Amino acid sequence: GGLIFDAGNLTVGEYLDSWLSDSVRGTVRPSTFERHEGIIRLHIKPSLGRVWLKKLTPAHVRGLHREKLDAGLAPATVRKIHSTLHKALSQAVSDGIVPRNAADVKAPRPTPEEMRPLSEAEVRAFLDVARESGDRFEALYVLAITTGLRRGELLGLRWDDVSMERSTLRVGRALVREGGRHTLGETKTRRGRRQINLTSRTVSALKAHRKKQLEEKIKLSGLYKDHGLIFATRVGTPINPENLVNRSFKPLLERASLPEIRFHDLRHTCATL
């Protein structure tokens, strides 16, 4: 076709390093960049890093899939590895470095995660246990079940996002993981920025939660680091999502004699109810 493709002496590993620095960094969320970088460093480069980019074939990519599956990785994880490699090679095609995307092969099909929403009776039992045990995140669970917010969105809420008078909540940020620590960032998608109407029970739960939080701030006085977060640690800092699940959510499920579900299933519970 009159086109010349020349990958020179580039190896796959060298190209992926330049792709990360030139095309990915600064164009995606930091957490997304970290995910791509980790996948390339831990999975793709050890297997394909020394292959010449111009000699990379679909057979190499299928071999990568098989190697990772045989090593015990879940099909969903291998699919993420494939997705990162496909994106990088698509850029190489667009830049005229290679004539085709060697990753244009079928990726392993992940087993769909089974959703387990709670029934109305189970929701009542769960919230009753949260209230009776004095769990400091009772309002968070009420909010999760009545609004369907994601875990990161709930933990990224600030008091200036909520209007008790109008019973509305503005979602504009989420708690994300960057550089090994949790910080406030953008929502998962642009459509994630939205306004939500709150039920009267949710507003009451938030008011009670705010009162308890103010009492905690007074007790700790100068030790409290006020970030304006609705849901924070006892000293006002962002909550580690895994700590929320392991120290509060799972114990409440056990006390309520409910099956162990994912926190994300509360989002499905909201939709189902």
Side-chain angles (χ1 to χ4, degrees):
L3 299 174
I4 298 174
F5 299 92
D6 185 12
N9 293 324
L10 269 180
T11 63
V12 172
E14 290 167 342
Y15 173 72
L16 291 174
D17 286 340
S18 65
W19 176 70
L20 281 172
S21 61
D22 299 339
S23 300
V24 182
R25 189 186 298 275
T27 66
V28 297
R29 290 169 59 175
S31 56
T32 303
F33 175 84
E34 288 180 11
R35 185 172 68 250
H36 285 318
E37 189 278 330
I39 285 174
I40 288 170
R41 174 170 42 84
L42 298 174
H43 299 291
I44 302 177
K45 286 176 70 174
S47 301
L48 302 177
R50 294 183 180 180
V51 176
W52 296 115
L53 181 61
K54 60 187 175 185
K55 293 186 177 181
L56 186 69
T57 66
H60 284 113
V61 179
R62 284 192 287 268
L64 173 66
H65 295 167
R66 177 46 49 200
E67 176 189 335
K68 295 303 174 182
L69 290 170
D70 289 346
L73 267 64
T77 303
V78 179
R79 196 175 184 87
K80 290 175 182 176
I81 295 170
H82 173 89
S83 175
T84 295
L85 180 59
H86 191 278
K87 285 179 182 177
L89 294 179
S90 291
Q91 186 66 56
V93 173
S94 297
D95 291 345
I97 298 174
V98 291
R100 61 184 172 80
N101 190 330
D104 275 339
V105 297
K106 282 188 177 180
R109 185 182 295 244
T111 304
E113 290 189 27
E114 184 178 352
M115 292 183 287
R116 174 55 172 91
L118 299 176
S119 67
E120 185 175 345
E122 289 173 328
V123 166
R124 291 185 189 281
F126 177 75
L127 293 180
D128 284 347
V129 167
R131 184 182 66 256
E132 291 164 5
S133 63
D135 192 285
R136 62 192 301 272
F137 298 116
E138 178 195 354
L140 183 146
Y141 299 123
V142 173
L143 197 57
I145 292 168
T146 58
T147 65
L149 291 182
R150 299 178 179 87
R151 184 176 64 178
E153 292 172 338
L154 288 162
L155 297 181
L157 290 172
R158 287 191 172 124
W159 284 111
D160 56 13
D161 294 325
V162 63
S163 171
M164 302 289 191
E165 296 74 24
R166 296 195 296 272
S167 299
T168 59
L169 178 70
R170 185 178 69 252
V171 182
R173 67 184 71 82
L175 194 70
V176 296
R177 188 176 178 85
E178 293 179 11
R181 64 188 184 89
H182 292 92
T183 183
L184 294 181
E186 295 181 354
T187 54
K188 187 175 180 180
T189 63
R190 287 187 179 180
R191 288 179 61 190
R193 299 168 196 163
R194 59 206 187 276
Q195 181 169 293
I196 294 172
N197 294 323
L198 303 177
T199 66
S200 56
R201 174 172 184 175
T202 306
V203 172
S204 297
L206 285 172
K207 287 180 178 178
H209 177 76
R210 183 165 59 180
K211 182 181 177 183
K212 290 179 183 177
Q213 191 181 73
L214 288 172
E215 291 171 353
E216 288 181 354
K217 289 170 69 173
I218 293 170
K219 285 180 182 178
L220 290 169
S221 60
L223 296 175
Y224 196 90
K225 300 175 183 176
D226 197 347
H227 293 268
L229 294 169
I230 295 180
F231 304 110
T233 64
R234 294 187 185 279
V235 293
T237 54
I239 296 170
N240 183 320
E242 297 307 317
N243 288 346
L244 171 70
V245 171
N246 294 325
R247 300 175 186 177
S248 173
F249 182 59
K250 287 183 178 180
L252 285 177
L253 288 173
E254 188 175 348
R255 283 183 210 146
S257 300
L258 296 174
E260 186 172 316
I261 62 172
R262 304 167 304 161
F263 189 95
H264 194 73
D265 286 322
L266 295 183
R267 182 167 164 84
H268 297 301
T269 296
C270 173
T272 302
L273 295 181

